[in-house]
Amino acid sequence: MTRLAVRHGAINLAQGFPDFPAPAALKAAAAEAIDADINQYAITWGAKPFRDAIAAKYQRTYGMEFDPEREITVCCGATEGMIASLLAVLDPGDEVVLFEPFYENYGPDTQLCGATTRYVRLQAPDWSFDPDELRAAFTGRTKAIILNSPNNPTGKVFSRGELEYIAGLCQEFDCLAITDEIYEHILYDGTEHIPIMSLPGMRDRCILVNSMSKTYSVTGWRVGWVLASPDLTDSIRKVHDFLTVGAAAPLQQAGVLALSMPEDYYRHLSTEYAARRDHILTSLQNAGFRCFTPHGAYYVMTDISAFGFANDTSFVRHLITHLGVAAVPGSSFFSHVSVASQYVRFCFCKKYETLEAARHQLIRLK
Ligand code: PLP
């Protein structure tokens, strides 16, 4: 959709990357690191100062302790963190439980490992799940559940009660929770992000994947990390070493500054995104979309039934070619296109002028 948007000069509310600059101090830190000749391979599992900064950040934010020497692996974004983790723990024939709609990569990731995916539906409008359906998805072959909270594409933030229920199943079925927490600091309406790894009994049965991409508005830097107990980390580091060797050394150095940002930075991030969310919700509702209000992350899932299109893809093509706005057909977040042909996702990690321009275009749908 991004390519189609470029071809038609459309406003890109499809792919989730900011069109505003990264924090100036962060850019300066990256430039300084290159200038200081931090230009060669870092240690494969991550430069020590960066791993130390990650450990300090989790201690400050969640009171969680991680040993930088044995429990942290720096990788090329959450994307590599997830596939390296899955390749490290899954064997062909294993089963993975996945909520749908889901971030697109998880499906192919599990397929690449030869694992089977069992899907559990998050039900609109609040994207809750049926506890019995979730339980029924766990079997003797389940190796892991993949959990993304705050969630892309729905904006759902899993509650403590939901996480406790999932944690209970992981313990009962002796399996792992592999979590993608890339939107941990993008939260609205007083919601709280709770790493499931911090719940009782979960410390050694979780793999926590995260990245600088969204929190620091640097999706192109490709720096992420994986936190896990020493045994799991040992396997993940081996896969990571052969996949990519390591993430960009100067950008890991700049990451030290990023992960040392004061609390204010994160508060400001959420407040700013909350205002953008409200802006796009108004634009979409005024244009005739039914919106599912997100409580985290920076996407709005919408229902397009009111427009009378056969499916989401033909609607999005119409949107791009006739109205100059790009979005993502919701079916790309589901295992089967047919079960979800009337959802479309918009992202709002954009400048106000971009959101304003989109508002002017979208209203023409009426
Ligand atoms: N995980 C989720 C849930 C995402 O939404 C995205 C990007 O949109 C990624 C991972 C990609 O992360 P990274 O840029 O760190 O590879």
Side-chain angles (χ1 to χ4, degrees):
M1 287 305 153
T2 291
R3 282 199 300 272
L4 206 59
V6 170
R7 200 180 316 148
H8 290 274
I11 299 163
N12 190 357
L13 303 186
Q15 207 177 355
F17 59 85
D19 66 348
F20 46 82
L26 200 51
K27 292 194 291 184
E32 265 166 42
I34 291 175
D35 219 32
D37 274 325
I38 304 183
N39 293 313
Q40 309 309 326
Y41 300 122
I43 297 171
T44 175
W45 49 79
K48 178 73 163 65
F50 188 45
R51 279 181 286 126
D52 287 346
I54 293 168
K57 163 87 171 52
Y58 278 82
Q59 158 45 240
R60 261 195 330 273
T61 311
Y62 302 111
M64 296 170 77
E65 302 283 347
F66 292 97
D67 178 354
E69 294 307 335
R70 301 192 309 148
E71 296 187 307
I72 300 178
T73 309
V74 175
C75 48
C76 297
T79 302
E80 192 223 311
M82 183 56 74
I83 186 71
S85 301
L86 294 174
L87 285 167
V89 301
L90 294 180
D91 290 317
D94 285 344
E95 291 181 2
V96 174
V97 177
L98 186 54
F99 288 109
E100 75 172 341
F102 56 88
Y103 173 60
E104 304 101 301
N105 286 24
Y106 307 147
D109 281 352
T110 32
Q111 279 169 27
L112 283 169
C113 298
T116 305
T117 315
R118 289 181 159 258
Y119 297 97
V120 176
R121 289 293 289 277
L122 296 173
Q123 303 287 353
D126 61 351
W127 307 108
S128 55
F129 60 86
D130 175 347
D132 295 334
E133 190 190 336
L134 179 61
R135 189 165 207 295
F138 282 75
T139 72
R141 305 185 76 115
T142 306
K143 186 63 92 49
I145 179 170
I146 298 177
L147 184 67
N148 170 220
S149 179
N151 183 260
N152 173 13
T154 64
K156 175 183 172 70
V157 180
F158 284 72
S159 69
R160 182 178 289 278
E162 288 173 324
L163 295 172
E164 281 170 353
Y165 183 74
I166 296 167
L169 291 175
C170 289
Q171 289 169 45
E172 183 183 336
F173 288 86
D174 191 19
C175 65
L176 297 165
I178 305 180
T179 67
D180 179 339
E181 305 191 12
I182 195 166
Y183 298 103
E184 66 175 330
H185 287 294
I186 303 178
L187 297 162
Y188 318 117
D189 313 318
T191 47
E192 184 194 6
H193 173 66
I194 302 165
I196 194 170
M197 195 182 206
S198 67
L199 298 185
M202 292 303 284
R203 179 62 172 76
D204 292 341
R205 56 172 73 251
C206 286
I207 298 177
L208 190 163
V209 178
N210 205 338
S211 135
M212 289 177 65
S213 286
K214 313 291 177 172
T215 305
Y216 307 104
S217 304
V218 287
T219 59
W221 281 22
R222 317 306 306 130
V223 179
W225 56 89
V226 179
L227 310 178
S229 62
D231 265 7
L232 291 168
T233 295
D234 198 39
S235 305
I236 295 163
R237 284 181 173 181
K238 287 191 178 95
V239 177
H240 156 75
D241 192 4
F242 293 108
L243 279 180
T244 64
V245 178
L251 303 182
Q252 292 188 48
Q253 184 58 36
V256 175
L257 180 127
L259 274 94
S260 312
M261 295 273 201
E263 271 317 295
D264 252 10
Y265 173 82
Y266 303 103
R267 261 195 297 278
H268 184 71
L269 187 75
S270 274
T271 312
E272 264 298 309
Y273 274 131
R276 287 171 219 261
R277 175 197 67 166
D278 294 346
H279 185 292
I280 199 169
L281 279 174
T282 308
S283 306
L284 291 168
Q285 276 155 358
N286 287 345
F289 290 86
R290 178 172 173 226
C291 296
F292 303 105
T293 303
H295 300 297
Y298 49 45
Y299 308 93
V300 182
M301 244 337 209
T302 63
D303 183 316
I304 56 160
S305 316
F307 299 109
F309 277 73
N311 59 54
D312 54 353
T313 306
S314 55
F315 176 83
V316 170
R317 283 187 188 281
H318 171 82
L319 206 61
I320 295 175
T321 53
H322 293 94
L323 288 125
V325 177
V328 179
S331 52
S332 58
F333 306 105
F334 287 82
S335 50
H336 295 291
V337 174
S338 55
V339 297
S341 68
Q342 295 291 315
Y343 290 125
V344 168
R345 189 201 76 177
F346 291 84
C347 76
F348 54 88
C349 46
K350 302 294 170 188
K351 295 179 202 151
Y352 280 102
E353 62 208 71
T354 309
L355 297 176
E356 258 306 277
R359 182 173 74 81
H360 281 289
Q361 304 291 79
L362 288 168
I363 201 72
R364 288 167 46 218
L365 267 171
K366 269 239 143 150

